[in-house]
Amino acid sequence: MKYVREFAANAVIGGVLVLLPVYLAVLLLLKGMQSVVGLVRPISALLPDWVPAEDLLSVLAVLIVCFVVGAAVRTPAGRVVRERLEMLFFGRLPGYALFRSLTQRMAGKSEENVWKPALAEIEDALVPAFIVEELDDGRFTVFVPSVPTPFAGAVYILSRDRVHPVDIPFTQAIKTVSRWGSGSKDLVAAMGKRYPS
């Protein structure tokens, strides 16, 4: 029964993470088409009636804008502008920076040296955690994700002796959390290799 619940929860979460961006992209495309239909109406009047010119030209206009913006943000100046706009508009949303960093790490695109998997000592237990940053005094800021959703949790500032970095891939640590701790033995084994008794 536990396996069925675990499988169902993982399947639902995986489905949402796949379908949500597709759904939002389609909504954005449709909204963009509605916005430019007035601009393409004079051109579509020149084409034969049997051609769905307004729709085709609207889609084409939106795709051209997407292409231009996509090409622009790949340039160094475009990256700077994108990051500033992102922080200006989205940086104030609670949890946005966390969600962005986690998804970039899961996709293997993050260049930041953060979110290193670790085991943290909370009270009398070891809990899966991620090192967010090291403070000037040597303590660590760690994010302890909640189970089974790694995108929510708590932030702790802990002394160095209570945080044990583990040498495992980020995605493996995320899987351990999303599977209700199944696979924790690998985290403990990695900690044992790093800190032999």
Side-chain angles (χ1 to χ4, degrees):
M1 187 65 179
K2 179 182 175 184
Y3 174 77
V4 172
R5 280 195 316 252
E6 185 176 317
F7 175 77
N10 285 336
V12 168
I13 291 169
V16 167
L17 291 175
V18 168
L19 293 178
L20 186 62
V22 172
Y23 177 72
L24 292 176
V26 169
L27 283 180
L28 184 63
L29 179 66
L30 292 174
K31 184 67 175 170
M33 286 173 58
Q34 289 175 352
S35 299
V36 299
V37 74
L39 297 173
V40 299
R41 191 167 285 138
I43 299 169
S44 65
L46 300 174
L47 297 173
D49 290 339
W50 57 269
V51 176
E54 280 187 12
D55 293 337
L56 290 176
L57 291 174
S58 296
V59 168
L60 185 62
V62 170
L63 292 177
I64 289 171
V65 169
C66 289
F67 174 79
V68 169
V69 170
V73 297
R74 290 182 180 271
T75 65
R79 273 190 229 111
V80 170
V81 171
R82 185 197 74 208
E83 288 171 6
R84 285 187 182 163
L85 289 174
E86 187 175 5
M87 292 314 297
L88 180 67
F89 292 110
F90 300 116
R92 296 179 181 160
L93 294 175
Y96 173 76
L98 166 67
F99 184 77
R100 179 177 178 263
S101 183
L102 282 175
T103 53
Q104 284 181 338
R105 290 289 295 209
M106 288 177 72
K109 295 180 180 175
S110 178
E111 297 174 3
E112 302 171 19
N113 190 20
V114 294
W115 301 103
K116 172 107 178 94
L119 287 170
E121 294 180 29
I122 307 292
E123 297 177 359
D124 291 332
L126 286 174
V127 296
F130 298 96
I131 299 171
V132 176
E133 65 182 355
E134 185 175 356
L135 305 179
D136 292 336
D137 62 5
R139 292 181 294 169
F140 288 111
T141 302
V142 296
F143 172 70
V144 177
S146 62
V147 173
T149 309
F151 298 113
V155 174
Y156 294 88
I157 297 175
L158 299 172
S159 61
R160 180 176 289 278
D161 61 323
R162 294 180 62 190
V163 179
H164 310 285
V166 291
D167 190 22
I168 64 166
F170 177 83
T171 51
Q172 184 179 348
I174 289 289
K175 284 180 186 175
T176 298
V177 172
S178 64
R179 293 178 180 168
W180 287 275
S182 176
S184 294
K185 63 183 177 184
D186 297 331
L187 278 93
V188 174
M191 186 182 101
K193 288 177 188 171
R194 194 171 175 99
Y195 300 99
S197 52

